[in-house]
Amino acid sequence: MNKIMISFLILVMGFFLAAGTGFCEESMTMERMKNAQIVDTIRPIDDPRLRKAENTDRVFIRLENMLLNRVSFFHQRKIGQAIVEKNFIRYKFNTETSEKTEETRKWRNDLPDKLPPIIDQSRAESQVNGEILSIRLIYISPESEIFKITPVPENPCWIIRTRIDDSRKVIIIDAVSGEYLGQGLPAPYEGFSMHGPDHPPDCDDNNPLWYSHAQNAHNWFETMDYDTIRDGSAYGSVVQSHIQSDSTVMFYELDHGGATSFKNRCDDDILASEIDTWINGYAPMGFAFIGSCMGLSSTGNGTFEHEFRKEGLAQDTVVVGYNGMSLSVCEDDCWGHAIAWQTKLFSEMNDGHTVAYAYAQANLDYPDCTDEGRFCMLYRGDGNLKFAGTGVPKVKRSISGSIYNIVITSPIYLDISPLPGVPSRFYHRPYFVRASITVPSTKHLTLNTTSTNKYIDLAFLNSAKLIMDGTYLNANGSHGGVKFVSGINQNKGMQFNGEFKMYDGGEIRVYE
C-alpha cells in the first residue's frame, strides 16, 4: 500500500460529557465545597440527632456538608484543659433521613478523670528559647506520630512551639515534674513520595522528617496499584526525573516550604519555576499532594498547584495540599490529624470515589481541619478524577514510543489492547500522547470501546503523531466514542462513533 499521510487539523467542536448518576460529584468544586459546609459548635441538647446518640453535655464541632447530605459531630476529649491526643467521639448522620451512618469512639481507660497538679505555663515557657508561637497541654498518645517520646509520658505535657530565626521547634515539657522530655515533629511551613530535612542548624539530609506521612502516602499509592518509591531528602535530579516521566502519575511531597518553593535537601530547594520548566513538554501530573505548610495558600501562575497542573489546566489533573498548616489555627487542631486525614482521603479514593468526594469525607471525619474559618487542606483542579476502585481503570501519565496489542495464543486466544476504554469521560483522563507513538512492523493496535468501557480518548501533546508501521489500526467507537484531540485544547480534534481503520504507512497528527 502507498504510504498515506493523514494529518488532522481539526475544527473546534463542542464535546458534551455525560454526568454520572446518583451523587452529583460534578458539583464538588472547591468554592462550592466551601459554600456548602456549615461549621459550628453545639451540645447534644441543641440537635435532636445528636441528642438521641449522646446523652451528655459535651461540646461537639458540627460539620454539615449540604452537597453530600451528611453531617458530622466531632468531640475532642479533654481532661481539664489538656487535650487527650487521638481520643475523640464522632457521629455521622444522613441529613435527609436522620439515619446514623457512623459512630466512632476512641477513649483511653488508663487516664485520670481530673488533671493532677501541674506547673504553671510561665515556668514551662521559661525553659525554652526563642519566640513562643503557641503552648498547650496534651496527654500524648501511644500512637502519636507527632510526639514520639519513649516511654510514652503518663503525665500531661506542655507542648511549646517556638521559632528562632528560620528554625522551628516543638518542645515537650512534663507538666507535673517540669522535666524536659524532648522534641516533637513540627508541621512543615512557609513552606513519588518525598519528604525533606529540617532547616539549619538542624538540617540533616540523612535524617529527613515526616517519614510516617510520606510512607503512608507511599503505601496508599501502592494499594491503589501505582508502583511507588519513597525518597527522603531527594536530590533535585530525582524530583526532575519524576516530573519528566511517562509513568509517574501520583506525586506526594512533605517538606518545609510554601506555594513557590520547598526544601528537598539542606543545600537545595525545589522551585515552582523549576517544575514549570521541567514539565514543559510533558503531561500534567495526575495527582499531586503539596504538603508544605503554605503549599496551597497561594495559587495561580508561579505556584506549585499551577505548574503541576501544567499552566493550571482545569481538567485531567488535581492538586491537594496544606493551607497554612503551621498557623496556630491549623497546627494546634489539625496537624495531629494530618496522617489520619490523608488516610481517609486515600482510602476513599481507593474505594473508587472522586478526589472531591474523598476530600469532603476526610473533612467530615476531622472537622478540626475546617473550623475557625480556615480550611487547613484545599484542592485545586479536576476534583472529579478517579484513580482506583472496582471498575476504575488505572491512570496513565502519558504514552510514547512503541505501542501495540499483546497477543496470547495459549491456553486461550487473547488479543489485548494497551489502551482500554473507560466507563466515563467525566471521571477519567484521556491517554496523553507525549511523543509520537508507533505501531511496529508485524504488530497491530485496537482502540475498541465496549458496553462497559465506552470511551477511548487520545490527547496529543507536542504535535505528536500516531504512526502505523505495523499491519493495521482498528478503532471502533460504536459503544460510545473515540477521540483524537489536542492535549492542550481538547475541544480541538476529531470524535467518531463508528469504525476507523488505518494500514501500513498511515499517520495521524493532531496539531495543538
Side-chain angles (χ1 to χ4, degrees):
M1 176 177 290
N2 293 331
K3 184 175 180 67
I4 302 172
M5 175 66 180
I6 309 175
S7 287
F8 294 107
L9 179 54
I10 309 297
L11 299 176
V12 174
M13 297 186 297
F15 296 134
F16 297 91
L17 305 180
T21 58
F23 169 66
C24 188
E25 296 192 53
E26 66 267 31
S27 298
M28 298 283 278
T29 64
M30 191 65 239
E31 289 308 310
R32 286 179 63 88
M33 180 79 67
K34 287 183 176 180
N35 294 333
Q37 289 196 167
I38 300 171
V39 185
D40 57 11
T41 56
I42 65 170
R43 297 180 185 272
I45 195 173
D46 301 319
D47 188 288
R49 296 161 299 193
L50 182 58
R51 184 167 63 247
K52 187 175 181 180
E54 180 83 14
N55 186 24
T56 69
D57 63 350
R58 295 184 175 117
V59 176
F60 285 76
I61 297 173
R62 179 176 73 102
L63 173 60
E64 181 174 347
N65 190 305
M66 291 180 286
L67 290 177
L68 294 177
N69 297 320
R70 292 291 186 273
V71 61
S72 171
F73 299 94
F74 183 91
H75 170 75
Q76 172 64 60
R77 183 185 181 187
K78 291 184 178 181
I79 298 176
Q81 59 181 313
I83 294 170
V84 182
E85 187 187 21
K86 294 188 178 296
N87 269 216
F88 62 85
I89 301 170
R90 181 174 60 227
Y91 300 104
K92 291 183 185 176
F93 294 87
N94 182 310
T95 56
E96 292 185 323
T97 65
S98 293
E99 175 191 3
K100 184 169 65 177
T101 59
E102 180 191 330
E103 178 176 340
T104 300
R105 183 183 295 263
K106 294 187 176 182
W107 211 265
R108 291 171 59 183
N109 296 319
D110 59 343
L111 297 176
D113 294 330
K114 295 182 179 181
L115 274 180
I118 61 174
I119 64 172
D120 61 35
Q121 179 176 324
S122 61
R123 179 179 165 189
E125 291 176 344
S126 69
Q127 299 187 53
V128 303
N129 297 319
E131 177 190 1
I132 294 177
L133 302 176
S134 68
I135 181 169
R136 57 182 176 153
L137 272 177
I138 291 183
Y139 275 98
I140 294 175
S141 168
E143 302 173 354
S144 181
E145 300 108 355
I146 309 302
F147 312 110
K148 296 183 177 181
I149 302 294
T150 303
V152 177
E154 295 182 2
N155 294 328
C157 296
W158 284 110
I159 306 299
I160 309 173
R161 303 181 191 274
T162 69
R163 177 170 58 206
I164 302 177
D165 297 326
D166 287 333
S167 181
R168 289 163 53 95
K169 304 290 184 186
V170 178
I171 307 299
I172 304 171
I173 304 291
D174 188 305
V176 174
S177 69
E179 179 186 1
Y180 168 83
L181 298 180
Q183 296 188 28
L185 186 65
Y189 67 101
E190 306 298 315
F192 169 111
S193 175
M194 62 176 293
H195 55 117
D198 204 348
H199 279 305
D202 301 310
C203 198
D204 181 356
D205 288 331
N206 295 319
N207 292 286
L209 306 179
W210 309 296
Y211 166 86
S212 297
H213 298 73
Q215 187 64 33
N216 173 273
H218 167 277
N219 293 346
W220 274 110
F221 289 174
E222 291 267 339
T223 299
M224 289 185 242
D225 200 27
Y226 297 93
D227 291 337
T228 303
I229 185 170
R230 180 192 55 78
D231 196 350
S233 299
Y235 285 95
S237 59
V238 173
V239 179
Q240 180 179 356
S241 72
H242 286 282
I243 302 302
Q244 296 180 327
S245 167
D246 283 329
S247 58
T248 300
V249 71
M250 310 287 281
F251 185 94
Y252 179 98
E253 71 86 11
L254 211 162
D255 304 270
H256 282 313
T260 59
S261 70
F262 60 75
K263 180 167 289 297
N264 55 308
R265 293 185 64 79
C266 294
D267 59 353
D268 190 21
D269 288 0
I270 299 296
L271 307 179
S273 59
E274 292 179 297
I275 303 297
D276 180 30
T277 299
W278 294 340
I279 208 168
N280 184 35
Y282 288 81
M285 190 63 66
F287 175 92
F289 191 108
I290 308 302
S292 300
C293 174
M294 306 297 285
L296 259 65
S297 296
S298 297
T299 59
N301 191 30
T303 65
F304 285 123
E305 68 84 22
H306 188 80
E307 309 310 344
F308 274 98
R309 292 196 289 129
K310 199 173 174 69
E311 299 299 318
L313 291 177
Q315 62 190 61
D316 305 323
T317 173
V318 62
V319 177
V320 179
Y322 291 168
N323 176 34
M325 189 59 79
S326 66
L327 303 178
S328 60
V329 65
C330 291
E331 188 169 10
D332 286 348
D333 293 336
C334 183
W335 175 232
H337 297 309
I339 291 181
W341 189 96
Q342 73 180 41
T343 294
K344 183 64 174 178
L345 175 83
F346 293 143
S347 66
E348 292 288 346
M349 290 169 59
N350 185 58
D351 287 341
H353 296 298
T354 66
V355 173
Y357 179 91
Y359 169 88
Q361 292 292 350
N363 284 342
L364 282 169
D365 265 19
Y366 300 98
D368 270 6
C369 293
T370 64
D371 65 341
E372 297 188 48
R374 187 176 190 92
F375 283 67
C376 300
M377 284 82 158
L378 298 174
Y379 79 86
R380 291 288 184 268
D382 192 350
N384 299 310
L385 285 177
K386 295 182 178 182
F387 288 89
T390 303
V392 178
K394 188 174 179 179
V395 176
K396 292 180 180 290
R397 174 79 178 279
S398 55
I399 55 177
S400 61
S402 181
I403 190 165
Y404 53 89
N405 280 31
I406 300 297
V407 177
I408 301 172
T409 58
S410 178
I412 60 173
Y413 180 84
L414 295 172
D415 191 352
I416 305 170
S417 172
L419 304 177
V422 297
S424 167
R425 286 182 171 132
F426 191 69
Y427 300 121
H428 304 287
R429 278 165 62 107
Y431 295 107
F432 282 95
V433 183
R434 179 185 61 81
S436 293
I437 53 177
T438 300
V439 182
S441 176
T442 75
K443 303 296 184 180
H444 64 276
L445 177 67
T446 59
L447 303 172
N448 293 334
T449 61
T450 68
S451 58
T452 302
N453 295 321
K454 301 180 179 182
Y455 308 100
I456 303 176
D457 298 346
L458 273 63
F460 291 76
L461 298 168
N462 310 314
S463 297
K465 301 176 183 178
L466 193 166
I467 303 170
M468 176 51 59
D469 286 343
T471 54
Y472 67 87
L473 163 73
N474 186 78
N476 189 330
S478 59
H479 290 281
V482 176
K483 287 183 185 179
F484 299 133
V485 296
S486 163
I488 300 301
N489 180 2
Q490 293 181 33
N491 285 325
K492 181 187 289 185
M494 178 181 75
Q495 172 177 307
F496 55 91
N497 303 101
E499 194 169 24
F500 178 93
K501 293 186 177 182
M502 185 166 65
Y503 297 92
D504 182 30
E507 293 183 356
I508 295 174
R509 180 179 183 183
V510 179
Y511 294 85
E512 293 183 356

